[in-house]
Amino acid sequence: MPGSSEELVRDYLEKTERSRALHERFRRVMPRGQTRTIAHFDPYPVVLDDGNGAVVRDVDGREYVDVLNNYTSLVHGHRHPEILDAVRRALESGTVFPAPHLSQLELADLLRERYPAAEQVRFTNSGSEATLLALRIARAATGRRVVVAFEGGYHGSVPELADGGPDLVRAAYNDLRGVESVLGPSAAAVVVEPFLGNGGVVPALPGFLQRVRARAAEVGALFVLDEVQSLRNSFGGVHGKLDLSPDLVLVGKIVGGGFPVGGVLGRAELLGYTDPLHPRALSHSGTFNGNVVTASAGVVSLRMLDAGAIEQLNGRAATLADEIESGAARAGVQAVVSRAGSILQVHLASARPTVAASPGSVERQGLAALHLALLLEGVYAAPRGMLNLSTAMTDDHLARVASGYEHAFVRVRDALPEAVAEGAR
Ligand SMILES: Cc1ncc(COP(=O)(O)O)c(C=O)c1O
């Protein structure tokens, strides 16, 4: 059937033959051939074997403009020469030591200079581990158990937050009354993102974060701001921009320059729980915490992401959001784009959500079709509709992305006419 979603899949199968064959082998050794839930999509993901600046290539030799950037972490794209140089230099001396190393000092100093909340720093290997540590500190410091988080919030593969638990309470994002009703004197902490990232790029409404912060202070709970994604959007973090004075800040992604990283920044008194001589010390170790490669790459990557670079990324992202929306309108597809700094999300809906986006089945089908169509157009975005910019992108890359979206919308319209006729929700 011409223009159907079957045709889209057939086209994809034909053009990604080597990935298809490899997928069979991956599936023999890894569940669904994957090691990251988020990276799976049907019928199978392409196998990428090369990344350079803003472009990635798959094993069939197809080229894509990368607007996923390893889920926002590669803010300078792939293989930035200055980051590679720093890593090569680091490798000459070793990769990791069970001892302090000057690269850790340099990165920690930089974080302290830049982020007002960072009186002290503790490194981990991922944002998930940073969340785990922050919850332990909050419970040790307050002697309380309850943690308040948000529907659609994401803080990594942390059992309690990912799967729920007896001490976890959730409120709707941007619903201040809802938060106030659950954030009381039994709470050790409230954990919140400046915008829902995985929850559909839903920015906080003006005043929301400030009010949650004030409520946490009122009830003696820690205000833990998860800036793992948002750090790329403002020079001093969102907490610096809004003067939020969080107790603890979770960081990750861009802080490692493309290598595994996480960290907790915050008040010295709280980070002090990880001091082995603290009377109620928490034992916190990690074989690769603060490893030389990550720390060296992180320093260079952060230095290059200065205020001017961030402003440019955010401005270009705003323009691209408008172009994607107008491309959809020209193609006759109902779509809106939500944005937080240089991170965007396409919604096949009539309005941007203010709570966690929960696409219905028609929208999910539409987003899956859009994703496949984008791959066929040479644009590598997230299956769920998220995209973000890197400093490696030129005007030409951005133009390719905008026109790729417009063509992909046309294919989606032809493949799923009901998504256009009825609206996606
Ligand atoms: C807001 C937020 N917090 C925490 C995490 C977890 O970080 P990691 O994947 O490094 O464990 C992520 C990852 O996407 C995230 O987006």
Side-chain angles (χ1 to χ4, degrees):
M1 191 186 357
S4 67
S5 57
E6 287 82 14
E7 192 203 36
L8 208 49
V9 172
R10 203 162 44 240
D11 205 0
Y12 182 77
L13 296 177
E14 270 168 23
K15 293 194 164 113
T16 59
E17 259 178 33
R18 284 199 66 203
S19 288
R20 176 157 43 136
L22 281 168
H23 183 62
E24 297 309 316
R25 285 181 55 198
F26 273 104
R27 282 191 64 174
R28 259 177 253 141
V29 288
M30 290 151 74
R32 197 54 58 184
Q34 269 296 350
T35 200
R36 291 167 79 171
T37 302
I38 207 163
H40 172 72
F41 59 87
D42 286 331
Y44 52 80
V46 285
V47 177
L48 297 178
D49 67 352
D50 186 68
N52 189 7
V55 169
V56 288
R57 281 188 188 78
D58 70 15
V59 289
D60 287 285
R62 291 175 61 79
E63 183 179 300
Y64 308 86
V65 179
D66 188 4
V67 285
L68 188 44
N69 294 304
N70 194 34
Y71 282 86
T72 76
S73 65
L74 295 175
V75 69
H76 300 299
H78 297 263
R79 286 198 267 149
H80 191 287
E82 287 185 40
I83 297 178
L84 287 193
D85 279 350
V87 170
R88 281 195 200 100
R89 278 196 304 276
L91 288 173
E92 295 297 321
S93 63
T95 53
V96 61
F97 301 100
H101 186 272
L102 287 174
S103 59
Q104 293 171 4
L105 189 59
E106 211 181 340
L107 184 56
D109 274 343
L110 189 56
L111 293 170
R112 262 175 46 108
E113 263 166 44
R114 189 155 163 158
Y115 302 114
E119 285 178 17
Q120 289 211 308
V121 175
R122 186 85 173 182
F123 291 116
T124 63
N125 297 298
S126 66
S128 303
E129 289 177 30
T131 307
L132 284 169
L133 176 61
L135 296 190
R136 289 175 70 203
I137 292 175
R139 284 171 169 155
T142 60
R144 304 171 182 178
R145 294 286 315 161
V146 172
V147 169
V148 176
F150 291 87
E151 285 156 21
Y154 182 69
H155 308 285
S157 297
V158 173
E160 192 169 7
L161 287 164
D163 308 326
D167 296 319
L168 179 76
V169 188
R170 285 193 196 273
Y173 198 70
N174 278 329
D175 172 8
L176 195 62
R177 286 225 179 124
V179 188
E180 284 174 349
S181 70
V182 292
L183 184 51
S186 58
V190 54
V191 189
V192 62
E193 293 163 88
F195 60 93
L196 291 178
N198 288 17
V201 188
V202 178
L205 293 174
F208 177 69
L209 295 169
Q210 291 87 335
R211 300 282 295 278
V212 174
R213 201 288 156 259
R215 174 69 177 182
E218 227 172 82
V219 300
L222 298 196
F223 179 69
V224 181
L225 191 66
D226 184 342
E227 295 235 44
V228 168
Q229 275 197 43
S230 60
L231 226 48
R232 61 160 37 227
N233 291 342
S234 325
F235 184 73
V238 171
H239 72 277
K241 185 174 164 196
L242 300 181
D243 202 12
L244 287 174
S245 312
D247 297 296
L248 297 174
V249 176
L250 312 179
V251 301
K253 300 209 192 259
I254 64 162
V255 167
F259 292 87
V261 78
V264 180
L265 321 177
R267 284 166 42 207
E269 177 206 342
L270 294 170
L271 270 290
Y273 279 87
T274 60
D275 173 349
L277 300 189
H278 190 286
R280 289 191 288 135
L282 296 169
S283 167
H284 172 254
S285 292
T287 305
F288 296 100
N289 287 1
N291 73 79
V292 181
V293 174
T294 293
S296 309
V299 166
V300 176
S301 172
L302 268 184
R303 287 222 172 97
M304 288 193 298
L305 194 69
D306 58 17
I310 290 175
E311 198 185 320
Q312 191 182 44
L313 276 177
N314 295 351
R316 291 177 134 195
T319 306
L320 182 61
D322 288 346
E323 286 170 355
I324 292 174
E325 283 188 354
S326 42
R330 279 192 297 274
V333 170
Q334 176 177 265
V336 288
V337 178
S338 59
R339 181 176 75 88
S342 53
I343 305 176
L344 315 177
Q345 166 88 33
V346 175
H347 306 268
L348 298 178
S350 55
R352 297 177 189 95
T354 55
V355 294
S358 51
S361 66
V362 175
E363 184 175 4
R364 264 187 278 121
Q365 244 182 303
L367 287 171
L370 178 66
H371 176 245
L372 275 196
L374 284 169
L375 288 173
L376 291 168
E377 292 295 327
V379 177
Y380 197 89
R384 67 166 186 264
M386 184 271 282
L387 64 152
N388 61 91
L389 270 55
S390 75
T391 58
M393 295 182 80
T394 60
D395 289 345
D396 177 56
H397 293 125
L398 286 163
R400 275 159 70 184
V401 172
S403 78
Y405 268 88
E406 183 162 350
H407 292 144
F409 281 128
V410 170
R411 289 200 77 166
V412 170
R413 180 199 60 202
D414 294 344
L416 299 166
E418 72 275 24
V420 181
E422 295 166 17
R425 278 161 196 264

